[in-house]
């Protein structure tokens, strides 16, 4: 979605979960593919050995590989030779306040697309259910959020 806002015209996605594929197409992804063409910028949003390997193989010469997924393990296995041979820049992104404002400004005039990403809302006392749903990709979840409980702080 943000890529489209800054003028990127082709966005290829790989995701084994069919409902997420449909949602990504609805947000402007060009298409879902099992094996994308070589790309200039590749995002790993999963942070697993399998996803990182797939992303490395998708990187074209002189491309950038951006890892925004948070790995569940302390170490990941990568093939440094593919990164070196293709002269890939590896960029590790941590969610930070340095990029929050510019990202939000992309949607300043119209945030409806962001609102569509929220598929599940939970009260804070439903935090375990929310976590189970989001981490298990259950019930077609894309983005789950917490809403304030009535009377909190009274």
């Amino acid at each position: 979605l943000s890529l489209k806002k800054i003028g990127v015209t082709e966005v290829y996605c790989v995701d084994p979960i069919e409902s997420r594929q449909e949602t990504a197409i609805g947000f402007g992804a060009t298409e879902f593919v099992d094996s994308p063409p070589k790309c200039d910028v590749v995002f790993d949003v999963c942070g697993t050995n399998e996803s990182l390997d797939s992303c490395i193989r998708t990187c074209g010469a002189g491309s950038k590989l951006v890892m925004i997924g948070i790995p569940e393990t302390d170490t990941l296995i990568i093939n440094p030779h593919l990164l070196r041979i293709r002269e890939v820049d590896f960029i590790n992104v941590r969610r930070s306040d340095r990029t929050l404002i510019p990202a939000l400004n992309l949607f300043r005039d119209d945030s409806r697309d962001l609102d569509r990403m929220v598929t599940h809302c939970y009260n804070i006392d439903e935090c375990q259910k929310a976590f189970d749903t989001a981490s298990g990709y259950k019930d077609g979840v894309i983005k789950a959020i917490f809403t304030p409980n009535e009377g909190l702080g009274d």
Side-chain angles (χ1 to χ4, degrees):
L1 188 55
S2 297
L3 295 172
K4 291 290 188 170
K5 288 275 190 182
I6 61 170
V8 175
T9 57
E10 293 184 41
V11 178
Y12 300 99
C13 296
V14 177
D15 195 315
I17 302 170
E18 191 171 321
S19 64
R20 294 175 71 86
Q21 294 174 12
E22 294 165 4
T23 300
I25 295 293
F27 279 113
T30 306
E31 66 179 300
F32 265 85
V33 291
D34 292 327
S35 181
K38 297 291 185 249
C39 296
D40 296 330
V41 181
V42 178
F43 292 89
D44 180 341
V45 299
C46 297
T48 66
N49 284 318
E50 295 79 15
S51 66
L52 188 55
D53 184 63
S54 176
C55 287
I56 289 171
R57 293 180 188 287
T58 302
C59 288
S63 63
K64 298 187 183 316
L65 172 55
V66 183
M67 184 170 174
I68 59 176
I70 301 172
E72 292 183 6
T73 62
D74 289 337
T75 58
L76 293 172
I77 300 168
I78 65 167
N79 182 339
H81 302 295
L82 284 179
L83 294 173
R84 181 182 53 79
I85 291 167
R86 294 181 184 163
E87 298 181 353
V88 174
D89 291 336
F90 187 90
I91 303 165
N92 197 4
V93 175
R94 183 175 190 274
R95 289 152 186 92
S96 92
D97 61 354
R98 290 180 291 152
T99 56
L100 178 62
I101 298 303
L104 289 174
N105 283 339
L106 292 173
F107 301 92
R108 178 181 50 227
D109 296 330
D110 185 0
S111 65
R112 288 177 293 182
D113 285 334
L114 293 178
D115 295 338
R116 289 189 308 131
M117 293 182 94
V118 177
T119 56
H120 292 69
C121 296
Y122 295 94
N123 289 321
I124 196 69
D125 57 350
E126 299 176 294
C127 64
Q128 188 61 52
K129 180 179 178 184
F131 177 78
D132 291 343
T133 301
S135 66
Y137 302 104
K138 298 175 183 172
D139 193 32
V141 67
I142 299 298
K143 187 66 65 182
I145 65 169
F146 290 104
T147 56
N149 287 344
E150 291 289 323
L152 244 178
D154 289 343

